[in-house]
Amino acid sequence: MVVVLPSGMEHAHAPELEPHTVALGRPRGIAVVTRYLRMDRMAFHSTDLGSYDLQRLCERSPMRELARLAGLVRSARDGGRFGVDFAGWLDQAMHAVTDRAGEVGRQVATVRTAPERALLLAAAVFGEARADTVYEAWHGLMRTVGHEEETTTELARTDFGERLATLGIERDLEGRLHFGRLAYADAVRTYFWANFPGTRDDLRNWIGHAAGLRGLTTDDRVNVVVRFGERSLAVGRPDHLFDLVVRWADHATGASCDPRAVAALELGLSHERFGGWFRRRTYECARSGPLSDGLVRVLTAACLQSLGATHPDQAMVQLHYLAVRKGEAARGAREVLLDLAGRDRRPYRLLIDRLRDRTHRDPRGTELHLQLLAELLRSDRAPEPPPWPDLFLGWETVFSHPPTDLWNPLVSSWLNAAAGDSAREMALGVMVGATHGRTAALHRLYAIACDWAGPRHHPSRAAVAALFWQHIDNAQYVRTESAKRAGAGPRTTEEAR
């Protein structure tokens, strides 16, 4: 076992463990870059990494920047537009991480008109989309920021292709737009969000509409969302990203999630700085008043795909709030909640405890919590091996509350399990014990078993039913004997009710 303590925790070091303590230092930057490049199957020699500028960068940059540098080398190789050898790719990547900010600043200083700047930004956000779509997004941006259309006809203006060429934007053979320099689009986005703070609300509204343009593929839309989200989070505006999550989710049609909303929310939840902020907001949404089905679906998807992996307890709490709502989307949340809980004994136990607690503390929602609990306690939902003490507590809660129509599918599922696997016959005695000998409950279990093993079913069920009935008889006998010893006769079924 290895325990990693954060810096500043020296007081937590046990003296007796000092001989086994290893101080973690910064890895050699050039070794990190080398490892990344080799993982990308990059062909190069160690002498190719010997330049002074690269060595200096590797000595000072954080690990995430070195990972980005290696990724840019790979992008230069895979892009096919930046030479054919490693030296050229590395040179492009070095310029991208060291010079791009200054280059963008100098270009924006020479580009003075709103249409030119808007086109530069539109191409940076919608890069790799088709030119016609970028053109539409460009005009949408100008409308959003309040730029008035030129009064002359389009045929009298500078044509679109010339505008692109002037800004260093290329159109490939498929009609998709790219900047001619590696990682230049990212630098453009960074520059505009950092240096035009008064436009950020307008940019949010622009993306809210433009990310749904018909000419965009699903991948294009997700790319746009991620680019917008990264910039909004970098300047400390997580609310802009979450606003769009809600807007897109609320306007979704059909029974599927809006991929833009899911991508935006997962980006926020995984963010190093603002992940906690997004977890609080999703929790507040899940337990708040009415939500659209679209937003319930997006929150459910985020719990399953993102939060369930990093913060499973929080995911289950949020899913529980979503699952007890009304509507088709809530049914989807219930299915995800039950599936997550059944994967392991710990979340299974936590959900049983939570549902039992809510059943006792929330009179208005008792039936909804009981429905969930009864579904969770079915044999096909239980982890392997079955956690019998937890099942006992859950069955105890279900069997002590109406409505009894929840019992039939629950009990039948375990009778089926016992019929197929003798190791699960233990469920029969545990279920009977969970009734605490209440006569009405035992009669109900007896009736369910009779119906389950009736003549229209396979004869093999008779043995399981007989064993179940024996447990019921034993429980009734024990209750009767206890009552006699207490000086009172056994209660009738009507009295037990």
Side-chain angles (χ1 to χ4, degrees), residues 310-324:
T310 60
H311 298 78
D313 292 0
Q314 293 184 30
M316 291 184 61
V317 169
Q318 293 188 27
L319 285 169
H320 181 205
Y321 280 119
L322 298 173
V324 294

Side-chain angles (χ1 to χ4, degrees), residues 390-436:
D390 303 312
L391 288 168
F392 174 87
L393 294 174
W395 288 333
E396 179 184 53
T397 300
V398 173
F399 294 157
S400 62
H401 289 82
T404 56
D405 55 1
L406 296 176
W407 299 17
N408 202 315
L410 168 61
V411 176
S412 297
S413 73
W414 284 100
L415 292 173
N416 288 330
D421 182 2
S422 59
R424 298 216 164 193
E425 289 180 355
M426 185 173 180
L428 308 181
V430 176
M431 273 195 296
V432 171
T435 66
H436 294 288

Side-chain angles (χ1 to χ4, degrees), residues 170-483:
E170 302 173 353
R171 180 165 20 191
D172 64 21
L173 296 176
E174 296 181 352
R176 297 182 178 276
L177 298 188
H178 311 267
F179 281 92
R181 285 166 282 188
L182 181 67
Y184 197 78
D186 183 53
V188 170
R189 296 191 296 269
T190 300
Y191 184 90
F192 273 90
W193 256 269
N195 293 288
F196 293 89
T199 67
R200 291 172 188 164
D201 288 348
D202 288 334
L203 294 178
R204 173 200 57 197
N205 296 333
W206 170 55
I207 293 297
H209 170 73
L213 291 175
R214 288 180 297 175
L216 296 172
T217 66
T218 299
D219 287 344
D220 289 335
R221 291 190 175 98
V222 171
N223 285 337
V224 169
V225 170
V226 171
R227 291 163 185 167
F228 168 79
E230 287 175 344
R231 290 302 95 217
S232 295
L233 296 175
V235 298
R237 294 306 303 266
D239 55 310
H240 278 181
L241 188 58
F242 196 79
D243 287 348
L244 292 186
V245 170
V246 176
R247 183 184 308 181
W248 288 327
D250 285 347
H251 289 87
T253 58
S256 59
C257 287
D258 189 306
R260 299 170 300 175
V262 175
L265 187 52
E266 290 186 345
L267 177 66
L269 288 169
S270 63
H271 195 264
E272 182 177 358
R273 177 183 173 192
F274 289 108
W277 186 95
F278 277 88
R279 289 194 297 275
R280 287 191 297 273
R281 286 301 300 270
T282 55
Y283 172 76
E284 291 165 1
C285 275
R287 69 190 300 268
S288 66
L291 299 178
S292 68
D293 274 5
L295 186 53
V296 171
R297 291 189 180 96
V298 168
L299 294 173
T300 299
C303 286
L304 175 63
Q305 300 169 18
S306 181
L307 203 57
T310 60
H311 298 78
D313 292 0
Q314 293 184 30
M316 291 184 61
V317 169
Q318 293 188 27
L319 285 169
H320 181 205
Y321 280 119
L322 298 173
V324 294
R325 293 174 174 271
K326 296 180 180 179
E328 185 63 34
R331 283 192 282 274
R334 286 196 284 274
E335 187 62 32
V336 171
L337 172 64
L338 295 171
D339 179 65
L340 283 178
R343 294 180 183 180
D344 189 70
R345 295 171 68 96
R346 181 179 178 277
Y348 191 76
R349 180 184 305 114
L350 287 175
L351 185 55
I352 288 177
D353 290 344
R354 180 176 177 83
L355 292 173
R356 291 178 64 240
D357 177 69
R358 291 303 185 277
T359 297
H360 295 299
R361 289 202 306 162
D362 182 13
R364 292 177 299 178
T366 294
E367 185 169 347
L368 286 172
H369 299 306
L370 276 173
Q371 288 175 357
L372 265 175
L373 183 58
E375 179 70 19
L376 178 67
L377 296 172
R378 286 172 45 172
S379 65
D380 55 329
R381 298 287 189 185
E384 188 63 40
W388 300 115
D390 303 312
L391 288 168
F392 174 87
L393 294 174
W395 288 333
E396 179 184 53
T397 300
V398 173
F399 294 157
S400 62
H401 289 82
T404 56
D405 55 1
L406 296 176
W407 299 17
N408 202 315
L410 168 61
V411 176
S412 297
S413 73
W414 284 100
L415 292 173
N416 288 330
D421 182 2
S422 59
R424 298 216 164 193
E425 289 180 355
M426 185 173 180
L428 308 181
V430 176
M431 273 195 296
V432 171
T435 66
H436 294 288
R438 293 188 300 274
T439 304
L442 293 174
H443 288 179
R444 179 65 180 167
L445 294 183
Y446 184 87
I448 292 172
C450 287
D451 184 66
W452 178 81
R456 65 182 183 278
H457 297 294
H458 196 278
S460 61
R461 294 188 174 192
V464 174
L467 181 59
F468 195 38
W469 293 331
Q470 183 178 343
H471 284 295
I472 293 172
D473 289 343
N474 291 341
Q476 288 180 317
Y477 175 78
V478 170
R479 184 176 178 82
T480 300
E481 291 301 309
S482 298

Side-chain angles (χ1 to χ4, degrees), residues 51 73 419 426:
S51 72
V73 177
M426 185 173 180

